[in-house]
Amino acid sequence: MTRCYLGLGSNMGDREWYLREAVARLAAIAGIHINRVSSIYETEPVGFTEQPPFLNAVAVIDTSLPVRQVLAACMEVEESLERKRDVRWGPRTIDMDILLYGDSHICSPELTVPHPRLHERLFVLIPLLEVAPMLACNGKPISHYRQLLGDDSAVHFYKSWDLPVVNEKS
């Protein structure tokens, strides 16, 4: 089994429902076990800023699937939840990014792991630190990247992930 960290975000419709439904649909995929999900945070958009705020969380999964199958599973869940890729960094029902996949370093046209902007995004770092405070990336603690970014006023605690995640298949 490989420990994998996924970033989740939504800023269209019932944002919380999309986050929870994405995790539930991942949990139903054979070879994916949801270990933990961070609290949910509300954040200002990054990149394309003329859009509603996001809800973000990080899911910790243990998986027997190769990383490209995890990517395919995430894309399948996004598509099933009507994710549209019309505008880069634009509004979306759900966005799922592989942040880390074990100790793997992957650089291909379809996937880069660790996520190339992980260290620049408080909306990823804050929930990631919640679920894995001792985690390191590229030889440095995640807390190091968090400290470098400083001001976290654009990331607000929204609510705890208080519902259990049921892994339907294994």
Side-chain angles (χ1 to χ4, degrees), residues 60-82:
V60 182
I61 68 169
D62 294 316
T63 183
S64 59
L65 302 177
V67 69
R68 282 176 175 66
Q69 283 186 279
V70 174
L71 176 63
C74 289
M75 293 179 79
E76 181 181 304
V77 169
E78 286 180 345
E79 186 176 314
S80 75
L81 293 173
E82 301 178 1

PDB file of all heavy atoms in Angstrom, residues 60-82:
ATOM      1  N   VAL A  60      -6.363  11.779   2.831  1.00  0.00           N
ATOM      2  CA  VAL A  60      -5.237  10.854   2.943  1.00  0.00           C
ATOM      3  C   VAL A  60      -5.771   9.496   2.534  1.00  0.00           C
ATOM      4  O   VAL A  60      -6.734   8.999   3.126  1.00  0.00           O
ATOM      5  CB  VAL A  60      -4.703  10.784   4.388  1.00  0.00           C
ATOM      6  CG1 VAL A  60      -3.497   9.855   4.473  1.00  0.00           C
ATOM      7  CG2 VAL A  60      -4.386  12.176   4.910  1.00  0.00           C
ATOM      8  N   ILE A  61      -5.167   8.916   1.505  1.00  0.00           N
ATOM      9  CA  ILE A  61      -5.604   7.590   1.083  1.00  0.00           C
ATOM     10  C   ILE A  61      -4.432   6.618   1.143  1.00  0.00           C
ATOM     11  O   ILE A  61      -3.276   7.005   1.005  1.00  0.00           O
ATOM     12  CB  ILE A  61      -6.227   7.585  -0.336  1.00  0.00           C
ATOM     13  CG1 ILE A  61      -5.203   7.868  -1.425  1.00  0.00           C
ATOM     14  CG2 ILE A  61      -7.382   8.571  -0.423  1.00  0.00           C
ATOM     15  CD1 ILE A  61      -5.705   7.626  -2.839  1.00  0.00           C
ATOM     16  N   ASP A  62      -4.766   5.375   1.376  1.00  0.00           N
ATOM     17  CA  ASP A  62      -3.817   4.278   1.228  1.00  0.00           C
ATOM     18  C   ASP A  62      -4.315   3.492   0.031  1.00  0.00           C
ATOM     19  O   ASP A  62      -5.501   3.172  -0.065  1.00  0.00           O
ATOM     20  CB  ASP A  62      -3.779   3.418   2.485  1.00  0.00           C
ATOM     21  CG  ASP A  62      -3.218   4.185   3.674  1.00  0.00           C
ATOM     22  OD1 ASP A  62      -2.204   4.893   3.493  1.00  0.00           O
ATOM     23  OD2 ASP A  62      -3.798   4.085   4.768  1.00  0.00           O
ATOM     24  N   THR A  63      -3.392   3.227  -0.898  1.00  0.00           N
ATOM     25  CA  THR A  63      -3.830   2.610  -2.146  1.00  0.00           C
ATOM     26  C   THR A  63      -2.882   1.527  -2.620  1.00  0.00           C
ATOM     27  O   THR A  63      -1.668   1.619  -2.423  1.00  0.00           O
ATOM     28  CB  THR A  63      -4.007   3.675  -3.254  1.00  0.00           C
ATOM     29  OG1 THR A  63      -4.501   3.045  -4.439  1.00  0.00           O
ATOM     30  CG2 THR A  63      -2.709   4.406  -3.567  1.00  0.00           C
ATOM     31  N   SER A  64      -3.447   0.526  -3.247  1.00  0.00           N
ATOM     32  CA  SER A  64      -2.667  -0.513  -3.914  1.00  0.00           C
ATOM     33  C   SER A  64      -2.549  -0.204  -5.409  1.00  0.00           C
ATOM     34  O   SER A  64      -1.910  -0.947  -6.144  1.00  0.00           O
ATOM     35  CB  SER A  64      -3.331  -1.884  -3.712  1.00  0.00           C
ATOM     36  OG  SER A  64      -4.650  -1.870  -4.236  1.00  0.00           O
ATOM     37  N   LEU A  65      -3.159   0.900  -5.840  1.00  0.00           N
ATOM     38  CA  LEU A  65      -3.153   1.256  -7.258  1.00  0.00           C
ATOM     39  C   LEU A  65      -1.887   2.021  -7.634  1.00  0.00           C
ATOM     40  O   LEU A  65      -1.404   2.849  -6.847  1.00  0.00           O
ATOM     41  CB  LEU A  65      -4.365   2.126  -7.586  1.00  0.00           C
ATOM     42  CG  LEU A  65      -5.742   1.549  -7.302  1.00  0.00           C
ATOM     43  CD1 LEU A  65      -6.820   2.575  -7.624  1.00  0.00           C
ATOM     44  CD2 LEU A  65      -5.958   0.259  -8.063  1.00  0.00           C
ATOM     45  N   PRO A  66      -1.373   1.812  -8.842  1.00  0.00           N
ATOM     46  CA  PRO A  66      -0.282   2.648  -9.335  1.00  0.00           C
ATOM     47  C   PRO A  66      -0.774   4.092  -9.457  1.00  0.00           C
ATOM     48  O   PRO A  66      -1.976   4.351  -9.614  1.00  0.00           O
ATOM     49  CB  PRO A  66       0.038   2.070 -10.716  1.00  0.00           C
ATOM     50  CG  PRO A  66      -0.634   0.752 -10.780  1.00  0.00           C
ATOM     51  CD  PRO A  66      -1.765   0.780  -9.796  1.00  0.00           C
ATOM     52  N   VAL A  67       0.145   5.032  -9.417  1.00  0.00           N
ATOM     53  CA  VAL A  67      -0.219   6.447  -9.392  1.00  0.00           C
ATOM     54  C   VAL A  67      -1.078   6.851 -10.588  1.00  0.00           C
ATOM     55  O   VAL A  67      -2.008   7.652 -10.449  1.00  0.00           O
ATOM     56  CB  VAL A  67       1.040   7.341  -9.263  1.00  0.00           C
ATOM     57  CG1 VAL A  67       1.896   7.292 -10.521  1.00  0.00           C
ATOM     58  CG2 VAL A  67       0.644   8.768  -8.913  1.00  0.00           C
ATOM     59  N   ARG A  68      -0.819   6.309 -11.764  1.00  0.00           N
ATOM     60  CA  ARG A  68      -1.618   6.687 -12.928  1.00  0.00           C
ATOM     61  C   ARG A  68      -3.049   6.183 -12.825  1.00  0.00           C
ATOM     62  O   ARG A  68      -3.969   6.804 -13.346  1.00  0.00           O
ATOM     63  CB  ARG A  68      -0.939   6.240 -14.217  1.00  0.00           C
ATOM     64  CG  ARG A  68       0.203   7.191 -14.568  1.00  0.00           C
ATOM     65  CD  ARG A  68       1.005   6.785 -15.778  1.00  0.00           C
ATOM     66  NE  ARG A  68       2.005   7.775 -16.144  1.00  0.00           N
ATOM     67  CZ  ARG A  68       3.062   8.122 -15.431  1.00  0.00           C
ATOM     68  NH1 ARG A  68       3.263   7.582 -14.251  1.00  0.00           N
ATOM     69  NH2 ARG A  68       3.930   9.017 -15.859  1.00  0.00           N
ATOM     70  N   GLN A  69      -3.263   5.075 -12.113  1.00  0.00           N
ATOM     71  CA  GLN A  69      -4.624   4.603 -11.869  1.00  0.00           C
ATOM     72  C   GLN A  69      -5.325   5.470 -10.832  1.00  0.00           C
ATOM     73  O   GLN A  69      -6.537   5.675 -10.917  1.00  0.00           O
ATOM     74  CB  GLN A  69      -4.624   3.137 -11.454  1.00  0.00           C
ATOM     75  CG  GLN A  69      -4.428   2.193 -12.631  1.00  0.00           C
ATOM     76  CD  GLN A  69      -4.579   0.758 -12.197  1.00  0.00           C
ATOM     77  OE1 GLN A  69      -3.649   0.167 -11.662  1.00  0.00           O
ATOM     78  NE2 GLN A  69      -5.762   0.211 -12.416  1.00  0.00           N
ATOM     79  N   VAL A  70      -4.578   5.987  -9.874  1.00  0.00           N
ATOM     80  CA  VAL A  70      -5.159   6.928  -8.916  1.00  0.00           C
ATOM     81  C   VAL A  70      -5.576   8.194  -9.658  1.00  0.00           C
ATOM     82  O   VAL A  70      -6.676   8.714  -9.449  1.00  0.00           O
ATOM     83  CB  VAL A  70      -4.178   7.255  -7.764  1.00  0.00           C
ATOM     84  CG1 VAL A  70      -4.745   8.348  -6.865  1.00  0.00           C
ATOM     85  CG2 VAL A  70      -3.867   5.997  -6.957  1.00  0.00           C
ATOM     86  N   LEU A  71      -4.712   8.679 -10.549  1.00  0.00           N
ATOM     87  CA  LEU A  71      -5.051   9.848 -11.362  1.00  0.00           C
ATOM     88  C   LEU A  71      -6.305   9.579 -12.191  1.00  0.00           C
ATOM     89  O   LEU A  71      -7.216  10.413 -12.236  1.00  0.00           O
ATOM     90  CB  LEU A  71      -3.881  10.233 -12.276  1.00  0.00           C
ATOM     91  CG  LEU A  71      -4.140  11.384 -13.244  1.00  0.00           C
ATOM     92  CD1 LEU A  71      -4.416  12.682 -12.497  1.00  0.00           C
ATOM     93  CD2 LEU A  71      -2.947  11.538 -14.190  1.00  0.00           C
ATOM     94  N   ALA A  72      -6.371   8.412 -12.823  1.00  0.00           N
ATOM     95  CA  ALA A  72      -7.542   8.061 -13.630  1.00  0.00           C
ATOM     96  C   ALA A  72      -8.801   8.007 -12.758  1.00  0.00           C
ATOM     97  O   ALA A  72      -9.871   8.466 -13.177  1.00  0.00           O
ATOM     98  CB  ALA A  72      -7.319   6.729 -14.344  1.00  0.00           C
ATOM     99  N   ALA A  73      -8.685   7.473 -11.543  1.00  0.00           N
ATOM    100  CA  ALA A  73      -9.828   7.404 -10.631  1.00  0.00           C
ATOM    101  C   ALA A  73     -10.294   8.813 -10.266  1.00  0.00           C
ATOM    102  O   ALA A  73     -11.500   9.101 -10.259  1.00  0.00           O
ATOM    103  CB  ALA A  73      -9.463   6.614  -9.380  1.00  0.00           C
ATOM    104  N   CYS A  74      -9.354   9.705  -9.978  1.00  0.00           N
ATOM    105  CA  CYS A  74      -9.709  11.088  -9.643  1.00  0.00           C
ATOM    106  C   CYS A  74     -10.405  11.765 -10.816  1.00  0.00           C
ATOM    107  O   CYS A  74     -11.427  12.441 -10.640  1.00  0.00           O
ATOM    108  CB  CYS A  74      -8.465  11.879  -9.243  1.00  0.00           C
ATOM    109  SG  CYS A  74      -7.766  11.416  -7.646  1.00  0.00           S
ATOM    110  N   MET A  75      -9.881  11.573 -12.004  1.00  0.00           N
ATOM    111  CA  MET A  75     -10.489  12.193 -13.188  1.00  0.00           C
ATOM    112  C   MET A  75     -11.875  11.616 -13.469  1.00  0.00           C
ATOM    113  O   MET A  75     -12.785  12.334 -13.873  1.00  0.00           O
ATOM    114  CB  MET A  75      -9.559  12.054 -14.383  1.00  0.00           C
ATOM    115  CG  MET A  75      -8.285  12.880 -14.193  1.00  0.00           C
ATOM    116  SD  MET A  75      -7.130  12.748 -15.552  1.00  0.00           S
ATOM    117  CE  MET A  75      -7.901  13.860 -16.710  1.00  0.00           C
ATOM    118  N   GLU A  76     -12.035  10.327 -13.210  1.00  0.00           N
ATOM    119  CA  GLU A  76     -13.348   9.687 -13.381  1.00  0.00           C
ATOM    120  C   GLU A  76     -14.360  10.273 -12.397  1.00  0.00           C
ATOM    121  O   GLU A  76     -15.501  10.565 -12.765  1.00  0.00           O
ATOM    122  CB  GLU A  76     -13.204   8.183 -13.172  1.00  0.00           C
ATOM    123  CG  GLU A  76     -14.484   7.397 -13.333  1.00  0.00           C
ATOM    124  CD  GLU A  76     -14.245   5.916 -13.081  1.00  0.00           C
ATOM    125  OE1 GLU A  76     -13.378   5.334 -13.761  1.00  0.00           O
ATOM    126  OE2 GLU A  76     -14.934   5.361 -12.202  1.00  0.00           O
ATOM    127  N   VAL A  77     -13.945  10.455 -11.153  1.00  0.00           N
ATOM    128  CA  VAL A  77     -14.833  11.047 -10.146  1.00  0.00           C
ATOM    129  C   VAL A  77     -15.161  12.486 -10.534  1.00  0.00           C
ATOM    130  O   VAL A  77     -16.327  12.906 -10.472  1.00  0.00           O
ATOM    131  CB  VAL A  77     -14.220  10.964  -8.734  1.00  0.00           C
ATOM    132  CG1 VAL A  77     -15.006  11.815  -7.741  1.00  0.00           C
ATOM    133  CG2 VAL A  77     -14.151   9.515  -8.261  1.00  0.00           C
ATOM    134  N   GLU A  78     -14.161  13.252 -10.950  1.00  0.00           N
ATOM    135  CA  GLU A  78     -14.410  14.631 -11.388  1.00  0.00           C
ATOM    136  C   GLU A  78     -15.436  14.666 -12.523  1.00  0.00           C
ATOM    137  O   GLU A  78     -16.381  15.461 -12.490  1.00  0.00           O
ATOM    138  CB  GLU A  78     -13.111  15.295 -11.861  1.00  0.00           C
ATOM    139  CG  GLU A  78     -12.156  15.682 -10.781  1.00  0.00           C
ATOM    140  CD  GLU A  78     -10.900  16.338 -11.313  1.00  0.00           C
ATOM    141  OE1 GLU A  78     -10.607  16.254 -12.524  1.00  0.00           O
ATOM    142  OE2 GLU A  78     -10.200  16.967 -10.506  1.00  0.00           O
ATOM    143  N   GLU A  79     -15.235  13.808 -13.504  1.00  0.00           N
ATOM    144  CA  GLU A  79     -16.163  13.770 -14.645  1.00  0.00           C
ATOM    145  C   GLU A  79     -17.571  13.373 -14.207  1.00  0.00           C
ATOM    146  O   GLU A  79     -18.561  13.964 -14.645  1.00  0.00           O
ATOM    147  CB  GLU A  79     -15.648  12.791 -15.705  1.00  0.00           C
ATOM    148  CG  GLU A  79     -16.482  12.807 -16.967  1.00  0.00           C
ATOM    149  CD  GLU A  79     -15.897  11.906 -18.049  1.00  0.00           C
ATOM    150  OE1 GLU A  79     -14.679  11.969 -18.284  1.00  0.00           O
ATOM    151  OE2 GLU A  79     -16.690  11.141 -18.645  1.00  0.00           O
ATOM    152  N   SER A  80     -17.671  12.406 -13.291  1.00  0.00           N
ATOM    153  CA  SER A  80     -18.992  11.967 -12.811  1.00  0.00           C
ATOM    154  C   SER A  80     -19.699  13.081 -12.034  1.00  0.00           C
ATOM    155  O   SER A  80     -20.915  13.070 -11.926  1.00  0.00           O
ATOM    156  CB  SER A  80     -18.861  10.706 -11.956  1.00  0.00           C
ATOM    157  OG  SER A  80     -18.341  10.999 -10.668  1.00  0.00           O
ATOM    158  N   LEU A  81     -18.925  14.035 -11.520  1.00  0.00           N
ATOM    159  CA  LEU A  81     -19.497  15.172 -10.792  1.00  0.00           C
ATOM    160  C   LEU A  81     -19.522  16.426 -11.669  1.00  0.00           C
ATOM    161  O   LEU A  81     -19.552  17.548 -11.161  1.00  0.00           O
ATOM    162  CB  LEU A  81     -18.709  15.413  -9.494  1.00  0.00           C
ATOM    163  CG  LEU A  81     -18.856  14.298  -8.458  1.00  0.00           C
ATOM    164  CD1 LEU A  81     -17.910  14.511  -7.280  1.00  0.00           C
ATOM    165  CD2 LEU A  81     -20.296  14.188  -7.982  1.00  0.00           C
ATOM    166  N   GLU A  82     -19.497  16.202 -12.967  1.00  0.00           N
ATOM    167  CA  GLU A  82     -19.686  17.251 -13.985  1.00  0.00           C
ATOM    168  C   GLU A  82     -18.631  18.348 -13.952  1.00  0.00           C
ATOM    169  O   GLU A  82     -18.913  19.512 -14.215  1.00  0.00           O
ATOM    170  CB  GLU A  82     -21.096  17.835 -13.881  1.00  0.00           C
ATOM    171  CG  GLU A  82     -22.157  16.770 -14.080  1.00  0.00           C
ATOM    172  CD  GLU A  82     -23.571  17.278 -13.930  1.00  0.00           C
ATOM    173  OE1 GLU A  82     -23.783  18.477 -13.680  1.00  0.00           O
ATOM    174  OE2 GLU A  82     -24.485  16.449 -14.065  1.00  0.00           O
TER     175      GLU A  82
END
